[in-house]
């Protein structure tokens, strides 16, 4: 294990998943998000219903990290609106503001 600090550019699904993977490897991610908060890009189209079921919208490392906080995932087959997906992932995973 290493104690490296790694910058992740963008705090939407891929950036948050990358941060979760870094944490699993003992590194410290700093997520730099240009928007107001994490999930910024997905929130721009929050009214849209996703085309893929939830199980494809969540990264494994992110799911493990969220599970360790007592998080209740949506049903694997459910098809969420972007708003729910963003809230479900990015609020509990969202990094602290600095
Ligand atoms: C209408 C619509 C419906 C979709 N439905 C689905 C679906 O059902 N299933 C599916 O799997 N995919 C779906 N997608 C695709 C999916 O949303 C994207 O693949 C996913 O959001 C990409 O995530 P990302 O984190 O790479 O990029 P983005 O979501 O684009 O996020 C990039 C983030 O980086 C930030 N950023 C950009 N530049 C900088 C910078 N220089 N410094 C700091 N921060 C920066 C932005 O503010 C943003 O928050 C859909 C996309 C759209 C538009």
């Amino acid at each position: 294990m290493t104690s490296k600090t790694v910058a992740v550019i963008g705090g939407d699904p891929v950036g948050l998943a990358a941060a979760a993977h870094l944490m699993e490897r003992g590194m410290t991610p700093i997520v730099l998000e240009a928007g107001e908060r994490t999930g910024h890009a997905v929130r721009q189209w929050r009214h849209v219903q996703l085309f893929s079921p939830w199980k494809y919208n969540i990264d494994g490392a992110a799911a493990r990290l969220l599970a360790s906080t007592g998080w209740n995932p949506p049903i694997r087959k459910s098809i969420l609106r972007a708003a729910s997906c963003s809230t479900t992932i990015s609020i509990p995973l969202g990094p602290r503001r600095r």
Side-chain angles (χ1 to χ4, degrees), residues 56-69:
Y56 299 119
N57 300 143
I58 181 76
D59 172 77
R64 288 188 288 278
L65 182 62
L66 288 165
S68 71
T69 68

Side-chain angles (χ1 to χ4, degrees), residues 9-15 32-35 40-42 45 48 50-52 57:
I9 312 293
D12 232 10
V14 174
L32 304 170
E33 169 52 53
H40 176 75
V42 171
W45 44 276
V48 173
L50 299 177
F51 53 76
S52 53
N57 300 143

Side-chain angles (χ1 to χ4, degrees), residues 11-31:
D12 232 10
V14 174
L16 292 175
H21 279 269
L22 288 166
M23 289 171 73
E24 279 196 336
R25 288 161 177 75
M27 294 181 242
T28 304
I30 296 188
V31 178

